[in-house]
Amino acid sequence: IITIIIGSKGQTIQENTLRDLYLSTNGQNWKTKWNLSSGICSRFGVNCTNGQVTSLFLSNNNLQGSIPLSLSNLNLINLY
């Protein structure tokens, strides 16, 4: 479990950060892929509170690659 606590971030920053994660971890080969044009809070494994990403549950989803540094842009995030 990785916990990063930083200030509140806007929707565009969250969207770009999740896109970075998807692309850097070979999202096209995930077991459950994200539709990058859908809202961030409706994506598999993304949990939000009041429109802010609060946690990601992506274990056993075939992520491969590196976690992008931009992930620190998310507010109160737990990674499982």
Side-chain angles (χ1 to χ4, degrees), residues 9-39:
K9 300 295 178 178
Q11 196 72 14
T12 301
I13 292 172
Q14 292 184 111
E15 173 65 38
N16 291 340
T17 298
L18 292 180
R19 181 180 307 276
D20 288 349
L21 175 65
Y22 187 78
L23 296 174
S24 70
T25 57
N26 203 18
Q28 289 300 315
N29 290 317
W30 287 5
K31 290 180 183 177
T32 305
K33 297 169 184 58
W34 285 347
N35 176 351
L36 295 179
S37 62
S38 70

Side-chain angles (χ1 to χ4, degrees), residues 8-80:
S8 178
K9 300 295 178 178
Q11 196 72 14
T12 301
I13 292 172
Q14 292 184 111
E15 173 65 38
N16 291 340
T17 298
L18 292 180
R19 181 180 307 276
D20 288 349
L21 175 65
Y22 187 78
L23 296 174
S24 70
T25 57
N26 203 18
Q28 289 300 315
N29 290 317
W30 287 5
K31 290 180 183 177
T32 305
K33 297 169 184 58
W34 285 347
N35 176 351
L36 295 179
S37 62
S38 70
I40 59 174
C41 296
S42 66
R43 296 178 190 169
F44 172 81
V46 177
N47 293 308
C48 297
T49 302
N50 298 323
Q52 295 289 313
V53 176
T54 55
S55 61
L56 298 175
F57 295 94
L58 297 170
S59 62
N60 300 317
N61 201 33
N62 199 35
L63 278 70
Q64 299 172 349
S66 301
I67 301 296
L69 293 176
S70 63
L71 198 62
S72 66
N73 290 329
L74 297 181
N75 183 40
L76 298 174
I77 187 160
N78 292 308
L79 302 175
Y80 300 94

